[in-house]
């Protein structure tokens, strides 16, 4: 034992040098790897009942229109489908870059430290979003702000998708209106021409006044008399609402008006809920590494001292 201690005493310079070397390596590691503070949230889709306003709006649209877009509207009002859109947006590099650029205070920030992933593949509807930085408060702030940024962008996409369906349906019904308006014009012009012919017939027959019994359903009826028929023609020329000559025209115009007056912009809705929030720091890891380096320096110094001075003995 005394011999062992004597060898250590002889090699104290080697031991100190080894300690200094490994201490320096640990210090360099600490400088080049600052403490990272990581905040993370595990989120999942909200319950369907929290989308009642959105579902009510969608149901209203489905009552108005009658097309294949019903399935698309159902998908847009489904919490799980909305969550998939949120995941796609939140996990995209372009969204992270856009978020960082949106805040001048984050121009220095490395977007690689924003991490979006599914922690458990067996449950793809649980999503974890984590943010790491050397500033604890900044990490927490970025996490909250990035979540809000991604949520608002998801809502914007959902609203745009619904409004796109509205726009496409409105185009569809406007085309129908054009067709039905054309048919209404044909019907109106037909009645006008029949009235003009009836006026000519009434004038030729000297039937100026209306007949006592007006129940003649003939195509060129002169029962109204020439005066009455001229008044009828004037009224026909003044007609602005041509839907009385085409029932479908009135129906399609009502649908188009309803589609135009509806918009998703005024509707707000939740899309995610927080399951749990976590925090961890790499400080303990750094302390452990630093301690291991010092211990390693001590053992290596002792080992070299014993090896060197045992040969001399």
């Amino acid at each position: 034992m005394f011999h062992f201690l004597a060898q250590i005493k002889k090699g104290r310079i080697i031991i100190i040098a080894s300690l200094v070397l490994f201490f320096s390596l640990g210090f360099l590691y600490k400088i080049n790897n600052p403490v990272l503070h990581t905040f993370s949230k595990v989120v999942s889709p909200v319950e369907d009942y929290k989308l009642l306003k959105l579902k009510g709006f969608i149901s209203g649209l489905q009552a108005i229109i009658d097309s294949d877009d019903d399935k698309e509207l159902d998908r847009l009002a489904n919490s799980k489908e909305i969550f998939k859109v949120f995941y796609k947006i939140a996990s995209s590099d372009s969204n992270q870059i856009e978020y960082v650029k949106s805040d001048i205070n984050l121009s220095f920030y490395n977007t690689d430290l924003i991490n979006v992933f599914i922690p458990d593949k067996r449950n793809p509807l649980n999503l974890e979003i984590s943010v790491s930085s050397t500033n604890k408060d900044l990490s927490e702030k970025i996490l909250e702000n990035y979540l809000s940024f991604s949520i608002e962008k998801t809502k914007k996409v959902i609203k745009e998708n619904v409004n796109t369906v509205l726009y496409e349906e409105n185009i569809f019904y406007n085309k129908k209106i054009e067709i039905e308006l054309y048919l209404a014009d044909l019907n109106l012009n037909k009645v006008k021409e029949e009235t003009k012919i009836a006026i000519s017939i009434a004038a030729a027959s000297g039937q100026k006044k209306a007949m006592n019994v007006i129940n003649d359903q003939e195509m060129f009826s002169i029962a109204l008399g020439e005066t009455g028929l001229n008044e009828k023609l004037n009224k026909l020329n003044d007609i602005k609402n041509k839907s009385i000559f085409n029932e479908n025209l009135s129906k399609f115009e009502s649908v188009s008006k309803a589609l135009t007056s509806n918009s998703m912009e005024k509707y707000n809705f939740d899309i995610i809920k927080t399951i749990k929030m976590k925090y961890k720091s790499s400080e303990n890891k750094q302390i452990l590494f630093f301690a291991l380096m010092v211990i390693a320096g001590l053992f290596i110094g002792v080992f070299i001292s014993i090896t060197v001075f045992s040969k001399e003995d």
Side-chain angles (χ1 to χ4, degrees), residues 247-295:
E247 293 181 358
N248 288 333
L249 178 60
S250 178
K251 174 186 173 183
F252 295 152
E253 284 178 337
S254 297
V255 173
S256 178
K257 184 178 179 180
L259 290 171
T260 304
S261 62
N262 278 284
S263 173
M264 275 290 294
E265 296 307 317
K266 62 182 179 181
Y267 287 90
N268 194 21
F269 50 93
D270 296 325
I271 61 175
I272 64 169
K273 64 178 179 180
T274 301
I275 297 177
K276 61 181 175 180
M277 185 165 182
K278 299 185 289 185
Y279 167 74
K280 66 178 181 179
S281 169
S282 64
E283 185 174 7
N284 291 336
K285 180 181 176 182
Q286 283 196 345
I287 292 172
L288 177 61
F289 181 82
F290 195 76
L292 289 174
M293 291 296 284
V294 172
I295 293 170

Side-chain angles (χ1 to χ4, degrees), residues 115-140:
N115 193 14
V116 181
F117 60 96
I118 297 173
D120 185 354
K121 298 298 181 183
R122 294 170 297 180
N123 190 359
L125 293 178
N126 277 1
L127 184 66
E128 185 166 339
I129 302 174
S130 67
V131 174
S132 303
S133 79
T134 55
N135 185 307
K136 183 178 179 180
D137 293 335
L138 182 63
S139 293
E140 188 174 14

